[in-house]
Amino acid sequence: MSSPSTPGFEVGLLLFKTSAKGLQDLGGLRHSGVGGIFDREGISDGQPFLLGPDGFYDLELNRFGRELDGWGVRSMHTVNAYMRDLALYCRYLHVCRSGRTIWESGQADLRGYKRARRRTDGPERVSGATWNRFLAALDKWARWAVSEGLLPAVPFRMVERTVRTPAGVATVLVNIEREPDEEDQRIRVMPYEEYLLWRDVGLRGQLPGGGPDPHWRGRHGERNAVFADVLIGTGMRLTEAASLPVTELPTIGAPQAASPLHLPATITKRNRARTVFVPARVMKRLHQYVLKRTTKDANHDTAKRTRELEDTIRVYANHIQVLTLRNHRLEEEIQRLQEQLTRSDPSLRVLRLR
């Protein structure tokens, strides 16, 4: 289990993650049934959970983290971000609001937290997008708590806003402390040539001139470069691209043609299946890497089997050598006994070595 460092409030609720390996390392817990409790409660490996400064485990708050998938949050990255945001808010309440818990917080607490996070200069100040993500986590927790009967009503002031959705214009309830979208921010675009330079130098361990960098200490540079090409060329998310098996890769089509690649709902955000198109150059590099990797694995397996066979032959050869030596010594001992018996009694010459 680990607790990431969070800027700002040093005392208060701490964020941890479950670890199957860590549970196995705790010998006393291995046979105490803790693993069975995790399975029964649906706690997966890497599940974030919160502990108080005194080690207190809030059952309901942590249950909210486990049930986020039922509230439209299926990405583990988002779950981690939501729990981290709530942990920091709980730290603020503990340190700056007289030890208050999240269950006792209200609009005044949220407004004070906003001043600390958005109106104070320093490294703890966050962007509007980060603040709005925290509000999304907080509002989702409040609605969940109301639906579970843990709170009588949402403790924060909500207002109606008209927003555009994929289905058209709609009126929704949003937290009054929500920041307006920062639409005036300029979108930064990286030219493709600069991306290639970044990929080759940063991921493949090459010098800007194209030669190998002798000081590079990375691993799997070719794999990482191909993976980056797939992300850039298709727009897939990290989890989506990392979840594709080799058997589902499309074949290389006609030159200059993009190959369609279907992404099932089980690996996409919000469980919405869709089709992306892989450019021909990316598909070619992808298949080249797969072929190279497959050949390398096959050669590695062949070399491994050869080494195992050589080791087996060497062991048998040692056994044969030992048996031959023992047999030779046995023959010498029998010859010696025969000579002794012959000298003592010539009539015992019936002994013959075979």
Side-chain angles (χ1 to χ4, degrees):
M1 296 184 293
S2 62
S3 172
S5 60
T6 308
F9 321 105
E10 292 78 6
V11 183
L13 218 61
L14 300 176
L15 175 66
F16 295 87
K17 290 185 180 181
T18 58
S19 171
K21 182 180 183 302
L23 186 62
Q24 293 175 359
D25 293 341
L26 298 175
L29 292 179
R30 192 171 1 185
H31 307 292
S32 64
V34 176
I37 296 176
F38 282 2
D39 295 337
R40 184 173 66 251
E41 296 297 328
I43 304 176
S44 58
D45 191 26
Q47 174 72 38
F49 65 95
L50 304 177
L51 289 180
D54 57 352
F56 175 73
Y57 181 88
D58 192 318
L59 291 174
E60 303 302 342
L61 184 57
N62 284 289
R63 181 163 68 92
F64 165 70
R66 297 196 303 273
E67 296 181 1
L68 273 172
D69 59 339
W71 287 73
V73 182
R74 296 179 177 86
S75 170
M76 187 53 65
H77 298 292
T78 307
V79 172
N80 290 331
Y82 276 19
M83 296 300 286
R84 191 183 306 113
D85 289 339
L86 292 180
L88 188 54
Y89 179 56
C90 291
R91 290 188 192 185
Y92 166 79
L93 294 174
H94 180 82
V95 175
C96 303
R97 308 296 286 187
S98 304
R100 187 170 299 180
T101 68
I102 190 173
W103 304 99
E104 302 166 329
S105 66
Q107 193 66 34
D109 302 304
L110 181 59
R111 192 174 298 112
Y113 184 58
K114 183 177 182 180
R115 286 195 298 269
R117 298 294 278 164
R118 286 286 293 156
R119 303 294 183 257
T120 303
D121 294 332
E124 289 81 14
R125 183 172 181 174
V126 297
S127 65
T130 301
W131 172 258
N132 289 339
R133 185 194 66 191
F134 156 70
L135 283 184
L138 187 67
D139 293 344
K140 200 174 292 291
W141 163 79
R143 293 197 302 271
W144 173 86
V146 171
S147 69
E148 294 292 321
L150 302 174
L151 290 177
V154 174
F156 310 112
R157 183 183 172 190
M158 311 296 286
V159 295
E160 291 186 350
R161 293 278 176 84
T162 301
V163 298
R164 290 186 178 183
T165 67
V169 178
T171 301
V172 297
L173 287 175
V174 298
N175 198 305
I176 196 173
E177 302 298 340
R178 178 181 174 85
E179 293 281 38
D181 294 332
E182 299 174 347
E183 298 180 353
D184 57 338
Q185 288 189 347
R186 298 179 59 184
I187 299 176
R188 294 177 294 179
V189 179
M190 174 183 289
Y192 188 68
E193 293 77 10
E194 293 185 12
Y195 159 73
L196 293 179
L197 180 63
W198 170 84
R199 181 199 67 183
D200 294 339
V201 174
L203 299 181
R204 301 180 66 186
Q206 295 183 355
L207 295 172
D213 185 354
H215 302 290
W216 192 66
R217 295 294 181 266
R219 299 179 60 191
H220 310 298
E222 192 64 27
R223 180 202 64 184
N224 297 338
V226 173
F227 188 75
D229 284 345
V230 172
L231 297 178
I232 294 296
T234 63
M236 282 192 290
R237 297 178 175 87
L238 291 171
T239 305
E240 295 170 346
S243 302
L244 289 175
V246 175
T247 54
E248 293 186 4
L249 296 178
T251 58
I252 300 178
Q256 308 301 326
S259 303
L261 176 60
H262 178 72
L263 303 180
T266 53
I267 67 173
T268 57
K269 188 174 183 178
R270 298 188 178 91
N271 291 52
R272 296 176 181 175
R274 72 179 193 278
T275 299
V276 298
F277 293 88
V278 187
R281 66 177 184 279
V282 176
M283 183 58 64
K284 182 179 179 180
R285 289 202 64 213
L286 185 57
H287 277 274
Q288 288 175 346
Y289 171 76
V290 171
L291 178 61
K292 179 181 178 181
R293 182 67 187 183
T294 304
T295 304
K296 182 179 180 180
D297 291 343
N299 293 338
H300 175 75
D301 293 341
T302 302
K304 182 179 179 181
R305 288 194 295 268
T306 301
R307 288 194 301 269
E308 293 174 349
L309 180 59
E310 291 175 349
D311 293 341
T312 303
I313 294 175
R314 190 178 300 109
V315 170
Y316 276 108
N318 291 336
H319 281 299
I320 293 174
Q321 184 179 4
V322 171
L323 293 174
T324 302
L325 179 61
R326 290 179 178 176
N327 186 45
H328 179 67
R329 290 177 177 175
L330 181 61
E331 291 179 354
E332 291 179 347
E333 184 67 20
I334 293 176
Q335 180 70 25
R336 187 180 62 81
L337 291 174
Q338 183 185 24
E339 292 176 354
Q340 290 178 356
L341 291 173
T342 301
R343 285 195 300 268
S344 61
D345 187 353
S347 62
L348 298 177
R349 292 183 177 182
V350 293
L351 292 175
R352 292 289 186 271
L353 286 176
R354 295 182 179 179

